[in-house]
Amino acid sequence: KEIAFTGDTLFVGDVGRPDLIASKGVSPQQMALTMFQSLTNKLIGLPDDVQIWPAHGAGSACGKALSDDRASTIGREKRTNPALQLVVAGDEEGFIKYATEGLSASPNYFSHDAESNRTGASTISEVLATAKGLEPAQFEQLSEEILVLDTRTIQEFGAGHVPGAIHVQLEGKFAPWVGNVIPPGSPLLLVTSAGQETETITRLCRIGYDNILGYLEGGIENWKASQGEVVIVEQISPDELRRIIVHAQILDVRAQSEWDAGHIQGSVHIPLPELSKRVVEIPTGELYVICGSGYRSSIACSILQRTGRTDVKNVVGGWSAWAANIDSVN
């Protein structure tokens, strides 16, 4: 079988974004036109049974609607990919409009990655060789100056974590959210679930986060056994929140489009990528943090705790669980 490696041009179900660092000095519309020409002149003329293997899949910020499928064929994409259908139809104007409208904000790490690609970066093997397990005493000493990234599950992080740790669960849209909430180039210490040290380091290296000093040997259990201080994030169900809703202060960290589609009346809205710069806008006192599923709100709780807040609670299941009660929607 013939295979086309389509990179960031043609994805399964979508096409690449024309507004990222590669377009510096060139407008997204000009880049979209160039992509239209590449798709027209190089890809749609290939036989329908040619497989396409793109560089990214679902969860990547490099497109708007990437499929979970890792591969496809030219023929299938002609039939099902809305962007490629515009190319097949020769609709240049429609394609440029599709490719440039409704794009999410570009993750902060993209420009860092582009520069790393130009100048060279450490290999994953090199980083794995230097990132060693650290005993709790050494880990604690380093954590006074170095940022701790905890990649365990929401429930595990909430039950107890190292003070000041930022939480981004490994399972989920890990790379985009690390890139949104942790400055590129930051030296990092890791706390992972047992056996996930290598996977975590590998996935961080793939987005240019390769300044990893080490990980907590034996994980959080070893930390607790060594009398290390533990901080919790209380997890609260939507039903519990409903019982106190009249007095509750709620922070919603979803995107603007999600907020516009529906939100809890009286809640404060600050999208997660903006949170660190807008903490002064957050009400003092007990705070209930909500997102779409509980993933982003757990990240937000960790950011707020790092600023010194001790009164944040994570809404389990997020908006998806809350919205079952339509009467509470504004």
Side-chain angles (χ1 to χ4, degrees):
K1 291 183 179 180
E2 292 183 305
I3 296 172
F5 295 96
T6 54
D8 284 19
T9 300
L10 177 60
F11 297 127
V12 180
D14 202 1
V15 292
R17 287 177 59 157
D19 65 323
L20 302 179
I21 189 65
S23 64
K24 192 172 184 179
V26 183
S27 73
Q29 288 73 23
Q30 290 172 305
M31 290 296 291
L33 174 59
T34 300
M35 183 162 52
F36 178 86
Q37 293 168 342
S38 294
L39 291 165
T40 299
N41 298 328
K42 297 181 179 180
L43 290 178
I44 65 169
L46 295 174
D48 283 355
D49 61 353
V50 170
Q51 291 187 4
I52 68 159
W53 288 15
H56 304 286
S60 171
C62 292
K64 293 187 290 187
L66 279 67
S67 169
D68 289 325
D69 294 343
R70 297 187 176 185
S72 183
T73 64
I74 292 292
R76 174 185 164 190
E77 293 308 299
K78 286 179 181 178
R79 295 190 303 272
T80 62
N81 186 321
L84 199 61
Q85 288 172 341
L86 293 169
V87 176
V88 172
D91 186 355
E92 180 181 295
E93 182 177 347
F95 177 86
I96 293 173
K97 182 178 180 180
Y98 174 92
T100 57
E101 292 185 354
L103 297 170
S104 60
S106 172
N108 298 331
Y109 69 91
F110 272 33
S111 58
H112 171 74
D113 279 9
E115 185 60 28
S116 295
N117 288 338
R118 294 189 186 99
T119 60
S122 301
T123 66
I124 295 175
S125 296
E126 289 171 341
V127 178
L128 286 169
T130 57
K132 302 296 186 180
L134 302 170
E135 290 300 327
Q138 186 181 8
F139 191 94
E140 182 175 19
Q141 182 178 13
L142 289 172
S143 69
E144 293 176 2
E145 301 290 339
I146 305 300
L147 179 64
V148 176
L149 172 62
D150 192 320
T151 68
R152 295 174 299 143
T153 67
I154 295 168
Q155 294 74 22
E156 289 172 328
F157 181 81
H161 56 269
V162 174
I166 295 296
H167 179 233
V168 185
Q169 180 177 282
L170 188 64
E171 183 66 29
K173 294 185 178 181
F174 177 70
W177 285 115
V178 167
N180 266 297
V181 302
I182 297 178
S186 298
L188 296 174
L189 297 169
L190 304 179
V191 179
T192 76
S193 296
Q196 290 191 331
E197 297 86 358
T198 297
E199 181 182 357
T200 300
I201 292 170
T202 299
R203 290 175 65 176
L204 286 168
C205 288
R206 286 173 178 166
I207 60 169
Y209 284 68
D210 55 8
N211 191 3
I212 300 168
L213 303 188
Y215 54 87
L216 180 59
E217 186 71 50
I220 199 68
E221 296 307 319
N222 191 21
W223 177 266
K224 292 177 181 178
S226 301
Q227 306 303 311
E229 182 183 355
V230 172
V231 180
I232 69 168
V233 176
E234 186 176 341
Q235 309 291 306
I236 183 169
S237 72
D239 287 341
E240 291 175 289
L241 181 57
R242 284 193 182 96
R243 287 197 288 270
I244 58 169
I245 192 66
V246 174
H247 308 290
Q249 294 186 123
I250 301 168
L251 172 66
D252 190 322
V253 296
R254 295 177 299 155
Q256 185 66 49
S257 59
E258 295 173 285
W259 167 268
D260 291 341
H263 55 269
I264 300 173
Q265 187 173 6
S267 55
V268 174
H269 179 228
I270 302 178
L272 180 55
E274 303 172 20
L275 183 61
S276 294
K277 296 179 180 179
R278 297 176 60 185
V279 290
V280 295
E281 301 175 33
I282 302 171
T284 57
E286 199 167 60
L287 188 68
Y288 299 84
V289 188
I290 191 169
C291 68
S293 66
Y295 187 96
R296 287 169 288 175
S297 53
S298 184
I299 299 172
C301 286
S302 71
I303 292 172
L304 293 173
Q305 285 187 330
R306 189 169 170 79
T307 69
R309 296 288 294 256
T310 59
D311 48 8
V312 294
K313 303 178 189 296
N314 186 41
V315 180
V316 178
W319 176 256
S320 297
W322 174 272
N325 183 348
I326 196 66
D327 293 337
S328 296
V329 178
N330 183 35

PDB file of all heavy atoms in Angstrom, residues 232-262:
ATOM      1  N   ILE A 232      -4.460  19.043  50.119  1.00  0.00           N
ATOM      2  CA  ILE A 232      -5.571  18.397  49.413  1.00  0.00           C
ATOM      3  C   ILE A 232      -6.382  19.424  48.632  1.00  0.00           C
ATOM      4  O   ILE A 232      -6.309  20.628  48.885  1.00  0.00           O
ATOM      5  CB  ILE A 232      -6.502  17.638  50.385  1.00  0.00           C
ATOM      6  CG1 ILE A 232      -7.264  18.624  51.282  1.00  0.00           C
ATOM      7  CG2 ILE A 232      -5.727  16.630  51.219  1.00  0.00           C
ATOM      8  CD1 ILE A 232      -8.407  17.982  52.047  1.00  0.00           C
ATOM      9  N   VAL A 233      -7.136  18.929  47.649  1.00  0.00           N
ATOM     10  CA  VAL A 233      -8.170  19.713  46.974  1.00  0.00           C
ATOM     11  C   VAL A 233      -9.475  18.959  47.180  1.00  0.00           C
ATOM     12  O   VAL A 233      -9.642  17.844  46.662  1.00  0.00           O
ATOM     13  CB  VAL A 233      -7.904  19.881  45.463  1.00  0.00           C
ATOM     14  CG1 VAL A 233      -9.074  20.623  44.806  1.00  0.00           C
ATOM     15  CG2 VAL A 233      -6.609  20.628  45.220  1.00  0.00           C
ATOM     16  N   GLU A 234     -10.379  19.540  47.943  1.00  0.00           N
ATOM     17  CA  GLU A 234     -11.648  18.867  48.182  1.00  0.00           C
ATOM     18  C   GLU A 234     -12.428  18.750  46.879  1.00  0.00           C
ATOM     19  O   GLU A 234     -12.534  19.701  46.109  1.00  0.00           O
ATOM     20  CB  GLU A 234     -12.467  19.640  49.213  1.00  0.00           C
ATOM     21  CG  GLU A 234     -13.752  18.923  49.624  1.00  0.00           C
ATOM     22  CD  GLU A 234     -14.506  19.650  50.720  1.00  0.00           C
ATOM     23  OE1 GLU A 234     -13.896  20.494  51.411  1.00  0.00           O
ATOM     24  OE2 GLU A 234     -15.711  19.365  50.886  1.00  0.00           O
ATOM     25  N   GLN A 235     -12.969  17.566  46.642  1.00  0.00           N
ATOM     26  CA  GLN A 235     -13.781  17.307  45.450  1.00  0.00           C
ATOM     27  C   GLN A 235     -15.257  17.359  45.849  1.00  0.00           C
ATOM     28  O   GLN A 235     -15.677  16.630  46.749  1.00  0.00           O
ATOM     29  CB  GLN A 235     -13.442  15.938  44.858  1.00  0.00           C
ATOM     30  CG  GLN A 235     -11.952  15.693  44.637  1.00  0.00           C
ATOM     31  CD  GLN A 235     -11.368  16.541  43.537  1.00  0.00           C
ATOM     32  OE1 GLN A 235     -11.860  16.554  42.406  1.00  0.00           O
ATOM     33  NE2 GLN A 235     -10.300  17.263  43.860  1.00  0.00           N
ATOM     34  N   ILE A 236     -16.033  18.199  45.188  1.00  0.00           N
ATOM     35  CA  ILE A 236     -17.434  18.381  45.559  1.00  0.00           C
ATOM     36  C   ILE A 236     -18.321  18.037  44.365  1.00  0.00           C
ATOM     37  O   ILE A 236     -18.029  18.396  43.225  1.00  0.00           O
ATOM     38  CB  ILE A 236     -17.709  19.819  46.044  1.00  0.00           C
ATOM     39  CG1 ILE A 236     -19.160  19.969  46.493  1.00  0.00           C
ATOM     40  CG2 ILE A 236     -17.330  20.839  44.990  1.00  0.00           C
ATOM     41  CD1 ILE A 236     -19.441  21.265  47.214  1.00  0.00           C
ATOM     42  N   SER A 237     -19.389  17.321  44.615  1.00  0.00           N
ATOM     43  CA  SER A 237     -20.292  16.912  43.541  1.00  0.00           C
ATOM     44  C   SER A 237     -21.233  18.050  43.177  1.00  0.00           C
ATOM     45  O   SER A 237     -21.485  18.960  43.986  1.00  0.00           O
ATOM     46  CB  SER A 237     -21.113  15.702  43.976  1.00  0.00           C
ATOM     47  OG  SER A 237     -22.084  16.088  44.940  1.00  0.00           O
ATOM     48  N   PRO A 238     -21.791  18.032  41.953  1.00  0.00           N
ATOM     49  CA  PRO A 238     -22.785  19.046  41.584  1.00  0.00           C
ATOM     50  C   PRO A 238     -23.973  19.081  42.541  1.00  0.00           C
ATOM     51  O   PRO A 238     -24.497  20.163  42.842  1.00  0.00           O
ATOM     52  CB  PRO A 238     -23.201  18.618  40.177  1.00  0.00           C
ATOM     53  CG  PRO A 238     -22.006  17.908  39.632  1.00  0.00           C
ATOM     54  CD  PRO A 238     -21.428  17.177  40.810  1.00  0.00           C
ATOM     55  N   ASP A 239     -24.394  17.921  43.034  1.00  0.00           N
ATOM     56  CA  ASP A 239     -25.523  17.890  43.977  1.00  0.00           C
ATOM     57  C   ASP A 239     -25.194  18.628  45.264  1.00  0.00           C
ATOM     58  O   ASP A 239     -26.028  19.357  45.812  1.00  0.00           O
ATOM     59  CB  ASP A 239     -25.923  16.447  44.283  1.00  0.00           C
ATOM     60  CG  ASP A 239     -26.650  15.783  43.113  1.00  0.00           C
ATOM     61  OD1 ASP A 239     -27.146  16.526  42.238  1.00  0.00           O
ATOM     62  OD2 ASP A 239     -26.708  14.545  43.081  1.00  0.00           O
ATOM     63  N   GLU A 240     -23.963  18.430  45.754  1.00  0.00           N
ATOM     64  CA  GLU A 240     -23.547  19.148  46.957  1.00  0.00           C
ATOM     65  C   GLU A 240     -23.511  20.642  46.701  1.00  0.00           C
ATOM     66  O   GLU A 240     -23.916  21.445  47.556  1.00  0.00           O
ATOM     67  CB  GLU A 240     -22.168  18.664  47.396  1.00  0.00           C
ATOM     68  CG  GLU A 240     -22.129  17.234  47.924  1.00  0.00           C
ATOM     69  CD  GLU A 240     -20.719  16.793  48.221  1.00  0.00           C
ATOM     70  OE1 GLU A 240     -19.937  16.576  47.269  1.00  0.00           O
ATOM     71  OE2 GLU A 240     -20.392  16.667  49.417  1.00  0.00           O
ATOM     72  N   LEU A 241     -23.034  21.042  45.541  1.00  0.00           N
ATOM     73  CA  LEU A 241     -22.969  22.464  45.201  1.00  0.00           C
ATOM     74  C   LEU A 241     -24.368  23.070  45.103  1.00  0.00           C
ATOM     75  O   LEU A 241     -24.594  24.192  45.552  1.00  0.00           O
ATOM     76  CB  LEU A 241     -22.208  22.651  43.885  1.00  0.00           C
ATOM     77  CG  LEU A 241     -22.027  24.096  43.396  1.00  0.00           C
ATOM     78  CD1 LEU A 241     -21.328  24.951  44.446  1.00  0.00           C
ATOM     79  CD2 LEU A 241     -21.238  24.121  42.085  1.00  0.00           C
ATOM     80  N   ARG A 242     -25.301  22.312  44.566  1.00  0.00           N
ATOM     81  CA  ARG A 242     -26.675  22.827  44.440  1.00  0.00           C
ATOM     82  C   ARG A 242     -27.280  23.146  45.811  1.00  0.00           C
ATOM     83  O   ARG A 242     -28.053  24.093  45.941  1.00  0.00           O
ATOM     84  CB  ARG A 242     -27.550  21.811  43.707  1.00  0.00           C
ATOM     85  CG  ARG A 242     -27.316  21.764  42.218  1.00  0.00           C
ATOM     86  CD  ARG A 242     -28.414  20.972  41.493  1.00  0.00           C
ATOM     87  NE  ARG A 242     -28.108  20.936  40.068  1.00  0.00           N
ATOM     88  CZ  ARG A 242     -27.473  19.931  39.459  1.00  0.00           C
ATOM     89  NH1 ARG A 242     -27.097  18.872  40.167  1.00  0.00           N
ATOM     90  NH2 ARG A 242     -27.218  19.975  38.170  1.00  0.00           N
ATOM     91  N   ARG A 243     -26.901  22.366  46.807  1.00  0.00           N
ATOM     92  CA  ARG A 243     -27.484  22.570  48.136  1.00  0.00           C
ATOM     93  C   ARG A 243     -27.020  23.870  48.790  1.00  0.00           C
ATOM     94  O   ARG A 243     -27.689  24.397  49.670  1.00  0.00           O
ATOM     95  CB  ARG A 243     -27.152  21.369  49.030  1.00  0.00           C
ATOM     96  CG  ARG A 243     -27.942  20.117  48.675  1.00  0.00           C
ATOM     97  CD  ARG A 243     -27.895  19.102  49.799  1.00  0.00           C
ATOM     98  NE  ARG A 243     -26.595  18.466  49.916  1.00  0.00           N
ATOM     99  CZ  ARG A 243     -26.247  17.337  49.280  1.00  0.00           C
ATOM    100  NH1 ARG A 243     -27.135  16.730  48.502  1.00  0.00           N
ATOM    101  NH2 ARG A 243     -25.048  16.812  49.445  1.00  0.00           N
ATOM    102  N   ILE A 244     -25.868  24.383  48.329  1.00  0.00           N
ATOM    103  CA  ILE A 244     -25.345  25.610  48.938  1.00  0.00           C
ATOM    104  C   ILE A 244     -25.208  26.728  47.905  1.00  0.00           C
ATOM    105  O   ILE A 244     -24.547  27.733  48.152  1.00  0.00           O
ATOM    106  CB  ILE A 244     -23.970  25.344  49.583  1.00  0.00           C
ATOM    107  CG1 ILE A 244     -22.987  24.800  48.535  1.00  0.00           C
ATOM    108  CG2 ILE A 244     -24.093  24.372  50.747  1.00  0.00           C
ATOM    109  CD1 ILE A 244     -21.549  24.762  49.018  1.00  0.00           C
ATOM    110  N   ILE A 245     -25.853  26.564  46.753  1.00  0.00           N
ATOM    111  CA  ILE A 245     -25.632  27.453  45.619  1.00  0.00           C
ATOM    112  C   ILE A 245     -25.907  28.916  45.953  1.00  0.00           C
ATOM    113  O   ILE A 245     -25.260  29.823  45.418  1.00  0.00           O
ATOM    114  CB  ILE A 245     -26.472  26.994  44.399  1.00  0.00           C
ATOM    115  CG1 ILE A 245     -26.032  27.720  43.121  1.00  0.00           C
ATOM    116  CG2 ILE A 245     -27.943  27.182  44.645  1.00  0.00           C
ATOM    117  CD1 ILE A 245     -24.646  27.382  42.683  1.00  0.00           C
ATOM    118  N   VAL A 246     -26.849  29.175  46.834  1.00  0.00           N
ATOM    119  CA  VAL A 246     -27.207  30.564  47.162  1.00  0.00           C
ATOM    120  C   VAL A 246     -26.018  31.317  47.740  1.00  0.00           C
ATOM    121  O   VAL A 246     -25.852  32.519  47.511  1.00  0.00           O
ATOM    122  CB  VAL A 246     -28.395  30.593  48.147  1.00  0.00           C
ATOM    123  CG1 VAL A 246     -28.677  32.024  48.603  1.00  0.00           C
ATOM    124  CG2 VAL A 246     -29.635  29.986  47.510  1.00  0.00           C
ATOM    125  N   HIS A 247     -25.167  30.620  48.474  1.00  0.00           N
ATOM    126  CA  HIS A 247     -24.042  31.271  49.155  1.00  0.00           C
ATOM    127  C   HIS A 247     -22.695  30.982  48.489  1.00  0.00           C
ATOM    128  O   HIS A 247     -21.682  31.548  48.910  1.00  0.00           O
ATOM    129  CB  HIS A 247     -23.978  30.808  50.613  1.00  0.00           C
ATOM    130  CG  HIS A 247     -25.270  30.961  51.351  1.00  0.00           C
ATOM    131  ND1 HIS A 247     -25.787  32.195  51.693  1.00  0.00           N
ATOM    132  CD2 HIS A 247     -26.168  30.039  51.775  1.00  0.00           C
ATOM    133  CE1 HIS A 247     -26.934  32.028  52.316  1.00  0.00           C
ATOM    134  NE2 HIS A 247     -27.191  30.725  52.383  1.00  0.00           N
ATOM    135  N   ALA A 248     -22.667  30.149  47.458  1.00  0.00           N
ATOM    136  CA  ALA A 248     -21.399  29.697  46.879  1.00  0.00           C
ATOM    137  C   ALA A 248     -20.824  30.715  45.901  1.00  0.00           C
ATOM    138  O   ALA A 248     -21.550  31.322  45.106  1.00  0.00           O
ATOM    139  CB  ALA A 248     -21.594  28.358  46.170  1.00  0.00           C
ATOM    140  N   GLN A 249     -19.511  30.893  45.969  1.00  0.00           N
ATOM    141  CA  GLN A 249     -18.779  31.670  44.972  1.00  0.00           C
ATOM    142  C   GLN A 249     -18.158  30.687  43.986  1.00  0.00           C
ATOM    143  O   GLN A 249     -17.411  29.790  44.384  1.00  0.00           O
ATOM    144  CB  GLN A 249     -17.692  32.509  45.636  1.00  0.00           C
ATOM    145  CG  GLN A 249     -18.251  33.579  46.545  1.00  0.00           C
ATOM    146  CD  GLN A 249     -17.156  34.479  47.079  1.00  0.00           C
ATOM    147  OE1 GLN A 249     -17.195  35.686  46.900  1.00  0.00           O
ATOM    148  NE2 GLN A 249     -16.185  33.888  47.756  1.00  0.00           N
ATOM    149  N   ILE A 250     -18.475  30.863  42.697  1.00  0.00           N
ATOM    150  CA  ILE A 250     -18.093  29.889  41.683  1.00  0.00           C
ATOM    151  C   ILE A 250     -17.196  30.547  40.640  1.00  0.00           C
ATOM    152  O   ILE A 250     -17.495  31.640  40.150  1.00  0.00           O
ATOM    153  CB  ILE A 250     -19.336  29.289  41.001  1.00  0.00           C
ATOM    154  CG1 ILE A 250     -20.223  28.607  42.050  1.00  0.00           C
ATOM    155  CG2 ILE A 250     -18.939  28.305  39.904  1.00  0.00           C
ATOM    156  CD1 ILE A 250     -21.589  28.239  41.537  1.00  0.00           C
ATOM    157  N   LEU A 251     -16.105  29.867  40.312  1.00  0.00           N
ATOM    158  CA  LEU A 251     -15.204  30.290  39.243  1.00  0.00           C
ATOM    159  C   LEU A 251     -15.313  29.305  38.098  1.00  0.00           C
ATOM    160  O   LEU A 251     -15.089  28.113  38.281  1.00  0.00           O
ATOM    161  CB  LEU A 251     -13.756  30.353  39.744  1.00  0.00           C
ATOM    162  CG  LEU A 251     -12.692  30.607  38.670  1.00  0.00           C
ATOM    163  CD1 LEU A 251     -12.852  32.004  38.066  1.00  0.00           C
ATOM    164  CD2 LEU A 251     -11.298  30.419  39.256  1.00  0.00           C
ATOM    165  N   ASP A 252     -15.663  29.783  36.921  1.00  0.00           N
ATOM    166  CA  ASP A 252     -15.796  28.959  35.721  1.00  0.00           C
ATOM    167  C   ASP A 252     -14.588  29.225  34.833  1.00  0.00           C
ATOM    168  O   ASP A 252     -14.354  30.360  34.413  1.00  0.00           O
ATOM    169  CB  ASP A 252     -17.094  29.334  34.985  1.00  0.00           C
ATOM    170  CG  ASP A 252     -17.447  28.377  33.864  1.00  0.00           C
ATOM    171  OD1 ASP A 252     -16.534  27.921  33.167  1.00  0.00           O
ATOM    172  OD2 ASP A 252     -18.652  28.112  33.672  1.00  0.00           O
ATOM    173  N   VAL A 253     -13.792  28.183  34.533  1.00  0.00           N
ATOM    174  CA  VAL A 253     -12.551  28.372  33.772  1.00  0.00           C
ATOM    175  C   VAL A 253     -12.643  27.823  32.348  1.00  0.00           C
ATOM    176  O   VAL A 253     -11.633  27.601  31.687  1.00  0.00           O
ATOM    177  CB  VAL A 253     -11.351  27.728  34.508  1.00  0.00           C
ATOM    178  CG1 VAL A 253     -11.114  28.412  35.840  1.00  0.00           C
ATOM    179  CG2 VAL A 253     -11.539  26.218  34.690  1.00  0.00           C
ATOM    180  N   ARG A 254     -13.856  27.634  31.856  1.00  0.00           N
ATOM    181  CA  ARG A 254     -14.034  27.145  30.483  1.00  0.00           C
ATOM    182  C   ARG A 254     -13.743  28.248  29.465  1.00  0.00           C
ATOM    183  O   ARG A 254     -13.593  29.430  29.803  1.00  0.00           O
ATOM    184  CB  ARG A 254     -15.456  26.613  30.298  1.00  0.00           C
ATOM    185  CG  ARG A 254     -15.772  25.390  31.141  1.00  0.00           C
ATOM    186  CD  ARG A 254     -17.229  24.980  30.957  1.00  0.00           C
ATOM    187  NE  ARG A 254     -18.133  26.050  31.376  1.00  0.00           N
ATOM    188  CZ  ARG A 254     -19.370  26.211  30.919  1.00  0.00           C
ATOM    189  NH1 ARG A 254     -19.851  25.378  30.018  1.00  0.00           N
ATOM    190  NH2 ARG A 254     -20.128  27.193  31.374  1.00  0.00           N
ATOM    191  N   ALA A 255     -13.714  27.867  28.195  1.00  0.00           N
ATOM    192  CA  ALA A 255     -13.505  28.822  27.111  1.00  0.00           C
ATOM    193  C   ALA A 255     -14.729  29.714  26.938  1.00  0.00           C
ATOM    194  O   ALA A 255     -15.834  29.380  27.391  1.00  0.00           O
ATOM    195  CB  ALA A 255     -13.202  28.078  25.812  1.00  0.00           C
ATOM    196  N   GLN A 256     -14.551  30.832  26.247  1.00  0.00           N
ATOM    197  CA  GLN A 256     -15.640  31.788  26.064  1.00  0.00           C
ATOM    198  C   GLN A 256     -16.838  31.155  25.375  1.00  0.00           C
ATOM    199  O   GLN A 256     -17.987  31.389  25.756  1.00  0.00           O
ATOM    200  CB  GLN A 256     -15.149  32.985  25.240  1.00  0.00           C
ATOM    201  CG  GLN A 256     -16.168  34.110  25.091  1.00  0.00           C
ATOM    202  CD  GLN A 256     -16.470  34.790  26.412  1.00  0.00           C
ATOM    203  OE1 GLN A 256     -15.550  35.169  27.140  1.00  0.00           O
ATOM    204  NE2 GLN A 256     -17.742  34.961  26.736  1.00  0.00           N
ATOM    205  N   SER A 257     -16.583  30.333  24.355  1.00  0.00           N
ATOM    206  CA  SER A 257     -17.690  29.719  23.617  1.00  0.00           C
ATOM    207  C   SER A 257     -18.496  28.780  24.518  1.00  0.00           C
ATOM    208  O   SER A 257     -19.727  28.705  24.400  1.00  0.00           O
ATOM    209  CB  SER A 257     -17.160  28.946  22.404  1.00  0.00           C
ATOM    210  OG  SER A 257     -16.245  27.931  22.812  1.00  0.00           O
ATOM    211  N   GLU A 258     -17.826  28.070  25.426  1.00  0.00           N
ATOM    212  CA  GLU A 258     -18.523  27.181  26.359  1.00  0.00           C
ATOM    213  C   GLU A 258     -19.374  27.996  27.336  1.00  0.00           C
ATOM    214  O   GLU A 258     -20.519  27.644  27.638  1.00  0.00           O
ATOM    215  CB  GLU A 258     -17.517  26.332  27.133  1.00  0.00           C
ATOM    216  CG  GLU A 258     -16.720  25.355  26.290  1.00  0.00           C
ATOM    217  CD  GLU A 258     -15.633  24.686  27.091  1.00  0.00           C
ATOM    218  OE1 GLU A 258     -14.612  25.334  27.386  1.00  0.00           O
ATOM    219  OE2 GLU A 258     -15.798  23.501  27.440  1.00  0.00           O
ATOM    220  N   TRP A 259     -18.805  29.065  27.832  1.00  0.00           N
ATOM    221  CA  TRP A 259     -19.520  29.957  28.751  1.00  0.00           C
ATOM    222  C   TRP A 259     -20.756  30.541  28.080  1.00  0.00           C
ATOM    223  O   TRP A 259     -21.838  30.576  28.666  1.00  0.00           O
ATOM    224  CB  TRP A 259     -18.569  31.060  29.199  1.00  0.00           C
ATOM    225  CG  TRP A 259     -19.196  32.226  29.897  1.00  0.00           C
ATOM    226  CD1 TRP A 259     -19.635  33.391  29.314  1.00  0.00           C
ATOM    227  CD2 TRP A 259     -19.464  32.367  31.293  1.00  0.00           C
ATOM    228  NE1 TRP A 259     -20.135  34.240  30.261  1.00  0.00           N
ATOM    229  CE2 TRP A 259     -20.046  33.646  31.488  1.00  0.00           C
ATOM    230  CE3 TRP A 259     -19.247  31.553  32.394  1.00  0.00           C
ATOM    231  CZ2 TRP A 259     -20.421  34.115  32.730  1.00  0.00           C
ATOM    232  CZ3 TRP A 259     -19.623  32.034  33.646  1.00  0.00           C
ATOM    233  CH2 TRP A 259     -20.200  33.287  33.814  1.00  0.00           C
ATOM    234  N   ASP A 260     -20.598  30.983  26.841  1.00  0.00           N
ATOM    235  CA  ASP A 260     -21.714  31.584  26.114  1.00  0.00           C
ATOM    236  C   ASP A 260     -22.854  30.590  25.905  1.00  0.00           C
ATOM    237  O   ASP A 260     -24.024  30.974  25.864  1.00  0.00           O
ATOM    238  CB  ASP A 260     -21.244  32.111  24.750  1.00  0.00           C
ATOM    239  CG  ASP A 260     -20.331  33.327  24.876  1.00  0.00           C
ATOM    240  OD1 ASP A 260     -20.343  33.975  25.942  1.00  0.00           O
ATOM    241  OD2 ASP A 260     -19.601  33.620  23.910  1.00  0.00           O
ATOM    242  N   ALA A 261     -22.499  29.309  25.779  1.00  0.00           N
ATOM    243  CA  ALA A 261     -23.517  28.277  25.549  1.00  0.00           C
ATOM    244  C   ALA A 261     -24.311  27.955  26.813  1.00  0.00           C
ATOM    245  O   ALA A 261     -25.373  27.336  26.737  1.00  0.00           O
ATOM    246  CB  ALA A 261     -22.861  27.016  25.009  1.00  0.00           C
ATOM    247  N   GLY A 262     -23.840  28.381  27.975  1.00  0.00           N
ATOM    248  CA  GLY A 262     -24.551  28.137  29.227  1.00  0.00           C
ATOM    249  C   GLY A 262     -23.606  28.128  30.402  1.00  0.00           C
ATOM    250  O   GLY A 262     -22.488  27.631  30.306  1.00  0.00           O
TER     251      GLY A 262
END
